[in-house]
Amino acid sequence: MQAHIAALSPLEVVGLGVAWFGALYAVAGVGTWVLVEHALPALGWGRRIDPRPPAPGQLRREIAASAGSVLVFGVGLLLPWWLLAQGWARLAPQAPAWRVAAEIAVLFVWNELHFYACHRLLHTRPLRRFHAHHHRSHVPTPFSTYAFHPLEAALLGSVPLLPMLLHDFSPVALLALPVMSIALNAFGHSNYDFGRRAPATGWRAASRRHHLHHARYHGNYGFLLAAPDRWFGTALPDDAPPSR
Ligand SMILES: [Zn+2]
Ligand SMILES: [Zn+2]
């Protein structure tokens, strides 16, 4: 399998990457939109968090910026491809199911920590202006997920590199990483509280925490797991009022 991947041309790698990330964005965006705008309200399950509609032109801007990020992710795939082609990283296509499951769990935790670290970095003075693109969405939507400046897309897209250098992952686990990431991302930007009757708590409150991050700008830098914000003292109280 590694030989087949190494035999691809750079243009084929970028083309496959753009198709893959584009499909993930479209399915996660449209799927979450249908879920939180139609299906769940019809079932009386959960509630919208911020009643304000998206700003005029917001969806168009988010989709255009996300198309740019899809291109960056596609081009960025040249790095893991190059690591595989050079033999610096290796795949384990015959890994048993228990090992694939363990790898997915490790990549999930790594994705959360990598996102927290990158996000804190993006809120520092030198990088803040690049991250401002994402924060133009004061009320997030399922289409905000990839709405980044290209530099932010490149930074977040670097998530598989270090793990791949340290361990021979199964292809299934590596493919599961962006699937997990976009699913969590769409959930976090859904502007919807998924608690059936009462407000959600714990990891299920991730959409409320990330909505508050967009509304307040400072604090709640993590994603699904609330722990990193607790460890580093950046968690916002649940009832903090929006400041912008
Ligand atoms: Zn931010
Ligand atoms: Zn966001």
Side-chain angles (χ1 to χ4, degrees), residues 168-218:
D168 298 349
F169 281 91
S170 60
V172 174
L174 288 177
L175 285 173
L177 176 59
V179 176
M180 251 180 337
S181 178
I182 187 79
L184 299 179
N185 223 318
F187 169 42
H189 289 96
S190 62
N191 187 28
Y192 203 83
D193 188 312
F194 290 84
R196 188 175 183 186
R197 297 196 196 287
T201 52
W203 66 268
R204 296 189 316 139
S207 55
R208 234 179 30 242
R209 285 196 296 274
H210 197 67
H211 164 264
L212 208 51
H213 175 69
H214 276 260
R216 291 283 301 246
Y217 187 72
H218 298 290

Side-chain angles (χ1 to χ4, degrees), residues 4-243:
H4 289 302
I5 292 174
L8 292 171
S9 73
L11 204 61
E12 285 169 331
V13 173
V14 174
L16 285 171
V18 167
W20 167 242
F21 288 108
L24 286 182
Y25 176 72
V27 170
V30 173
T32 310
W33 182 269
V34 170
L35 197 66
V36 301
E37 292 292 324
H38 302 288
L40 292 178
L43 291 170
W45 189 299
R47 65 218 59 82
R48 195 177 166 86
I49 295 169
D50 195 323
R52 291 175 295 173
Q58 181 179 330
L59 287 186
R60 203 163 352 113
R61 176 184 56 75
E62 288 178 344
I63 292 170
S66 297
S69 298
V70 165
L71 192 63
V72 171
F73 294 151
V75 173
L77 216 53
L78 288 172
L79 259 171
W81 168 74
W82 184 77
L83 292 180
L84 290 171
Q86 296 298 311
W88 288 27
R90 296 197 169 277
L91 294 175
Q94 313 295 349
W98 67 265
R99 179 171 151 185
V100 175
E103 287 176 352
I104 291 175
V106 167
L107 288 175
F108 163 75
V109 175
W110 166 246
N111 189 50
E112 291 283 318
L113 298 176
H114 178 267
F115 178 78
Y116 183 87
C118 289
H119 197 184
R120 283 296 297 269
L121 213 56
L122 286 161
H123 275 259
T124 59
R125 202 172 288 278
L127 295 184
R128 172 174 305 176
R129 66 199 164 99
F130 301 107
H131 188 47
H133 284 253
H134 183 67
H135 274 279
R136 283 177 69 188
S137 305
H138 293 172
V139 179
T141 78
F143 296 99
S144 314
T145 49
Y146 283 173
F148 309 129
H149 184 278
L151 185 101
E152 177 167 354
L155 193 61
L156 295 178
S158 70
V159 64
L161 297 179
L162 186 63
M164 282 181 73
L165 286 171
L166 297 177
H167 175 74
D168 298 349
F169 281 91
S170 60
V172 174
L174 288 177
L175 285 173
L177 176 59
V179 176
M180 251 180 337
S181 178
I182 187 79
L184 299 179
N185 223 318
F187 169 42
H189 289 96
S190 62
N191 187 28
Y192 203 83
D193 188 312
F194 290 84
R196 188 175 183 186
R197 297 196 196 287
T201 52
W203 66 268
R204 296 189 316 139
S207 55
R208 234 179 30 242
R209 285 196 296 274
H210 197 67
H211 164 264
L212 208 51
H213 175 69
H214 276 260
R216 291 283 301 246
Y217 187 72
H218 298 290
N220 283 7
Y221 301 105
F223 228 78
L224 193 73
L225 303 179
D229 277 302
R230 275 205 311 271
W231 296 337
F232 298 106
T234 51
L236 287 169
D238 246 13
D239 54 354
S243 65

